[in-house]
Amino acid sequence: MTKFPHRVSAARRNAETLLNQSIKRASNVKLEQTREYEAMVLKTAKLRELRLAKEAAEREEAGSAPAPTRRTAAKPKRSRQT
């Protein structure tokens, strides 16, 4: 018999090894992307919470403080033209 079947199985093993490595890299990339997305979502939620708390504090402070009076600038009087 020849060694032809042995060569085919070796080539197949090499191809399967490369495929498995490629699949593993792709899954690692997807996992890292998922982790980064979750970190971004948590950061966004935290910042939103801080912003809402700040806005609520500003509204409360504005509600307790007297309203500022608005002064309009006096218009210069125009002389009558006849």
Side-chain angles (χ1 to χ4, degrees):
M1 292 185 112
T2 62
K3 292 186 178 182
F4 185 70
H6 180 66
R7 288 184 191 166
V8 171
S9 63
R12 183 179 182 105
R13 277 191 308 251
N14 290 339
E16 287 177 352
T17 301
L18 291 174
L19 179 63
N20 289 338
Q21 289 173 351
S22 175
I23 290 172
K24 187 176 181 180
R25 276 193 302 267
S27 68
N28 286 339
V29 167
K30 287 183 181 181
L31 181 63
E32 185 63 29
Q33 287 176 341
T34 303
R35 287 180 182 162
E36 288 175 2
Y37 175 76
E38 289 173 354
M40 182 191 65
V41 168
L42 288 173
K43 180 180 175 183
T44 303
K46 180 181 176 183
L47 290 173
R48 181 178 294 132
E49 184 179 325
L50 290 172
R51 179 180 50 84
L52 292 175
K54 179 184 174 192
E55 289 175 356
E58 288 174 351
R59 276 194 305 266
E60 184 178 311
E61 183 179 308
S64 64
T69 57
R70 191 169 190 192
R71 294 184 182 179
T72 57
K75 292 183 180 179
K77 294 186 178 183
R78 295 177 71 187
S79 62
R80 252 189 194 170
Q81 293 180 358
T82 55

